[in-house]
Amino acid sequence: MFKSRSEGNVVYKCTVRLLEDLDVLECEFQPHHKGSFLLDYVCEQLEITEKDYFGLRFVDSAKQRHWLDLAKTIIKQVKDVDPLVLSFRVKFYPADPLRLTNNGKLMLYQQLKRDLRHGRLYCSAGEAAALGALIVQDELGDYDAETHTGEYVSSLKIALRQSEPLEKKAMELHQKREPGQEPVAVYDEFVGIARSLETYGIDPHPVKDHRGTQLYLGINFSGISTFAAGRRTQHFRWPEVHKINFEGKMFIIHLAYSEDRREVKKHTVGFKCPSGAACRYVWRCSIEQMLFFTLPTSQHASVVSGGGFFSWGTKFRYSGRTERELMSEALQALRQQKLNNTSPSKRKAQSVPATPSSPQGDLAEIRYSSLPRSTMSEPLGGCGDHMASSVYCTDNPLPTLETVSEEARKTNGESNDHLSDYYFRDSFDHSSSESGFTAAANSANAIGDHHHHHRHGASSGAHHSLLHHHHRQAYTTDNIPALAIHSVTNHAASIIQQQNASNSAKNAKKFSLVQAFVPSFVFVVVVLIVSAIYILETDSELFASMRNWPEMICLRYQYYQPLKEFLAKKFGAIF
């Protein structure tokens, strides 16, 4: 990582590798910049509009891969990486890749071509030859008998295990192609063939099942799959996945499915990863893929917690837009384009202001009811004041990156609003008691001031009648504040006694709760430990299925067995 100082500002430099191995991009960022800043800059340089399908990946000092979190600062994520090199890759392979436009489709084609060359896009020999012929068409152009002579395909890298029969088959298919084909047509054909494969969008993660068999775990838009010898052995669709969790090195999938649509069956599957960091990486990739392809909007995303009782917990909050949001925005843009391309007469007829018989508020519903509804899209809604925060409103600008001071100022503003609302509700709840006490005290003070004023007038008067009048008035007013102060004092004393009694009752209740909670917690922990030891040590068939749970297997081999051996060595050495 390179760091330079310019005018008191710290600037970090990094290198971003693009999808073509020889293409790199030098970038700069500051300590307050988040991951979205770097991704936006790369997509802007490459002129990519569908940036939500892409991401930046890096490898830490422990050789573990990570996706750059767009919602966190860059420097905190890559502080141990030196030199700082990131890779620009397709993160979410779309379910319908032909919807991508311009450079977005080109980047997806380059990513799939890269997957084929590195063996991630596993396919048969015939499919590899068809894809190889399209690569030859893209890089060498139309077949020319004078130029393309001999084994001209051997100079190109088209597959991981490239053989002579594969090259010959690719040359035959290339020679049969019609000349004059546009590059976009080649991209569409290549992406269409790749989309039909089971390994489309799969980044294989090495795992082992409960028997110790080596498998590869793949995650894409349809769900989670396992592969053995290049073939898919299991497939868990996203509607069947109830929960995803991990425990140490164990990656756990909780399934809930119904075969006859009557009875819901639950099943748990576990896979052992090479390390705990690799397990957390698989868990996070699964959560991100599931939320991106299943959530209607990113506003529905909540904080997802991972890790069990015996491992460090991990929290993750999804940031960015979902695929349904992207499809809804594309539908809205298409609709706007059609409206702009309509004839002036139709546009004039559509722009007639609303009359009392056709209220303006119903126009949004009428317009939306005429739209073709997709099963993957959500209602677009309006862009009024009540929808100002909606992601579907095209009038709202995209969130921009703010400086540290602006973020702090924004956070303070939100906290002040929250506190003001809290104090408002608190004062509203206590208005019945506190307002009465305050009003009585104010009236007593006012009467006391009035009494003091009259006493001063009586001592400075010249006439006896006036002095007698003031003395009588002073006597009259002297009794009023005494009574008022006496009543207010009694009222205040009763309120204070009530508050003290309520506070003592609360303290007694809290103390009793603590006394009741600690023994209960200790009892539950002791019962769980004894039960776990009994289940792991006994050979009873009653707990056979329970001992095969992924959680119990992880508990046995990662915690219980090492602890048992450690205690045996210690006590064996003592005795």
Side-chain angles (χ1 to χ4, degrees):
M1 183 187 303
F2 299 97
K3 180 172 64 175
S4 62
R5 294 184 178 271
S6 175
E7 298 180 358
N9 296 326
V10 179
V11 178
Y12 295 93
K13 296 182 180 181
C14 65
T15 303
V16 178
R17 293 178 179 174
L18 304 181
L19 291 167
E20 294 291 343
D21 293 330
L22 300 179
D23 296 339
V24 295
L25 191 63
E26 299 295 334
C27 304
E28 295 180 352
F29 63 92
Q30 293 181 350
H32 66 273
H33 283 151
K34 297 182 180 180
S36 58
F37 169 81
L38 203 55
L39 181 61
D40 292 344
Y41 175 78
V42 175
C43 291
E44 182 181 356
Q45 297 298 316
L46 299 177
E47 298 180 353
I48 299 174
T49 56
E50 298 97 342
K51 61 182 180 181
D52 298 272
Y53 291 101
F54 300 89
L56 296 172
R57 194 165 58 192
F58 65 94
V59 181
D60 62 10
S61 57
K63 306 301 180 183
Q64 175 60 48
R65 295 187 300 174
H66 301 276
W67 286 103
L68 190 67
D69 196 329
L70 304 182
K72 297 181 180 179
T73 55
I74 305 172
I75 193 62
K76 288 185 178 180
Q77 303 180 62
V78 299
K79 56 184 178 181
D80 297 332
V81 181
D82 191 21
L84 182 52
V85 179
L86 299 100
S87 300
F88 177 75
R89 299 289 182 263
V90 176
K91 187 175 183 179
F92 304 107
Y93 291 73
D96 184 10
L98 298 179
R99 288 190 297 102
L100 297 182
T101 58
N102 302 329
N103 286 352
K105 185 180 295 183
L106 174 61
M107 294 298 109
L108 179 61
Y109 162 73
Q110 292 182 357
Q111 177 68 69
L112 292 172
K113 183 172 63 174
R114 186 181 183 86
D115 294 343
L116 180 64
R117 290 173 176 175
H118 288 78
R120 289 187 294 269
L121 190 63
Y122 189 85
C123 55
S124 63
E127 293 166 337
L131 294 173
L134 293 170
I135 294 176
V136 175
Q137 176 69 29
D138 175 52
E139 297 190 6
L140 300 182
D142 296 334
Y143 172 71
D144 187 357
E146 297 180 357
T147 306
H148 302 144
T149 58
E151 305 293 334
Y152 62 93
V153 178
S154 60
S155 60
L156 302 177
K157 180 67 175 177
I158 60 176
L160 177 64
R161 296 179 178 87
Q162 190 166 329
S163 59
E164 186 176 350
L166 178 62
E167 293 177 356
K168 290 183 178 181
K169 185 64 177 177
M171 284 191 297
E172 292 178 4
L173 296 176
H174 176 242
Q175 294 171 7
K176 294 179 181 179
R177 296 190 63 85
E178 296 182 0
Q181 204 169 20
E182 294 292 333
V184 178
V186 176
Y187 302 155
D188 291 343
E189 188 174 352
F190 186 95
V191 169
I193 296 175
R195 169 62 179 81
S196 62
L197 301 176
E198 293 180 346
T199 53
Y200 168 75
I202 294 297
D203 186 14
H205 305 276
V207 295
K208 292 183 179 180
D209 61 4
H210 64 284
R211 298 186 182 89
T213 306
Q214 181 66 50
L215 300 173
Y216 288 94
L217 207 64
I219 310 149
N220 63 359
F221 69 92
S222 61
I224 303 175
S225 304
T226 58
F227 295 88
R231 294 185 179 182
R232 185 164 66 183
T233 56
Q234 291 177 307
H235 180 58
F236 312 113
R237 299 183 300 109
W238 290 129
E240 299 174 353
V241 177
H242 175 66
K243 183 182 178 182
I244 304 173
N245 203 355
F246 71 93
E247 177 67 50
K249 298 180 182 180
M250 190 68 66
F251 175 69
I252 304 168
I253 306 172
H254 299 270
L255 303 172
Y257 58 93
S258 57
E259 296 180 353
D260 54 357
R261 295 184 180 180
R262 294 180 181 179
E263 182 181 358
V264 178
K265 296 183 179 181
K266 294 185 178 180
H267 186 56
T268 305
V269 183
F271 302 96
K272 188 176 181 180
C273 299
S275 63
C279 188
R280 286 192 295 272
Y281 176 69
V282 174
W283 172 79
R284 177 159 181 165
C285 290
S286 303
I287 292 294
E288 285 185 305
Q289 294 282 335
M290 181 176 65
L291 297 180
F292 179 80
F293 289 109
T294 58
L295 280 183
T297 63
S298 58
Q299 295 177 351
H300 292 77
S302 58
V303 178
V304 182
S305 300
F309 183 77
F310 297 97
S311 63
W312 293 102
T314 302
K315 292 185 178 181
F316 169 74
R317 184 178 183 87
Y318 178 79
S319 60
R321 295 178 294 180
T322 64
E323 189 182 44
R324 295 190 185 184
E325 287 180 301
L326 298 176
M327 295 178 65
S328 300
E329 292 176 3
L331 180 63
Q332 189 174 5
L334 181 62
R335 173 194 172 197
Q336 188 66 30
Q337 183 179 2
K338 289 182 178 180
L339 290 176
N340 295 334
N341 295 334
T342 53
S343 60
S345 59
K346 291 183 179 180
R347 191 179 304 169
K348 182 177 180 180
Q350 292 176 355
S351 62
V352 175
T355 59
S357 60
S358 60
Q360 185 69 23
D362 298 334
L363 289 179
E365 298 179 0
I366 297 173
R367 293 193 188 104
Y368 175 66
S369 62
S370 63
L371 286 176
R373 300 194 181 187
S374 172
T375 57
M376 295 291 290
S377 61
E378 290 292 312
L380 300 181
C383 292
D385 295 336
H386 63 286
M387 293 291 291
S389 61
S390 176
V391 294
Y392 301 125
C393 182
T394 57
D395 295 336
N396 296 332
L398 292 176
T400 57
L401 202 65
E402 299 176 346
T403 61
V404 176
S405 60
E406 290 174 346
E407 289 178 353
R409 188 160 57 246
K410 184 178 180 181
T411 305
N412 293 334
E414 293 177 354
S415 62
N416 291 336
D417 294 340
H418 176 70
L419 289 175
S420 62
D421 181 64
Y422 173 79
Y423 285 122
F424 171 75
R425 288 185 284 106
D426 186 69
S427 61
F428 180 79
D429 293 338
H430 296 282
S431 60
S432 59
S433 61
E434 296 177 354
S435 61
F437 178 75
T438 306
N442 291 334
S443 63
N445 293 332
I447 295 173
D449 294 339
H450 185 64
H451 165 64
H452 176 73
H453 172 72
H454 280 284
R455 288 179 63 185
H456 179 70
S459 61
S460 61
H463 300 283
H464 177 74
S465 59
L466 183 61
L467 181 63
H468 179 73
H469 173 73
H470 279 289
H471 275 291
R472 185 175 58 188
Q473 186 176 3
Y475 175 78
T476 306
T477 56
D478 197 25
N479 295 329
I480 294 175
L483 295 174
I485 293 173
H486 181 69
S487 61
V488 170
T489 305
N490 293 334
H491 184 60
S494 62
I495 292 176
I496 293 173
Q497 290 178 359
Q498 292 177 2
Q499 292 179 350
N500 292 334
S502 62
N503 292 333
S504 61
K506 290 180 180 179
N507 294 332
K509 185 176 181 181
K510 291 180 181 178
F511 183 74
S512 61
L513 286 176
V514 171
Q515 283 185 334
F517 174 75
V518 172
S520 302
F521 177 76
V522 173
F523 176 75
V524 170
V525 171
V526 171
V527 169
L528 288 177
I529 293 175
V530 173
S531 302
I533 294 174
Y534 179 76
I535 293 171
L536 294 174
E537 291 293 339
T538 186
D539 295 331
S540 176
E541 295 293 335
L542 182 63
F543 303 104
S545 60
M546 190 178 296
R547 284 193 294 270
N548 293 328
W549 287 358
E551 293 87 349
M552 298 301 294
I553 295 174
C554 178
L555 176 64
R556 174 189 289 273
Y557 292 105
Q558 292 192 18
Y559 302 99
Y560 179 71
Q561 199 68 26
L563 180 62
K564 182 179 177 182
E565 294 176 358
F566 173 77
L567 294 177
K569 290 180 181 180
K570 286 293 182 181
F571 286 105
I574 294 175
F575 296 103

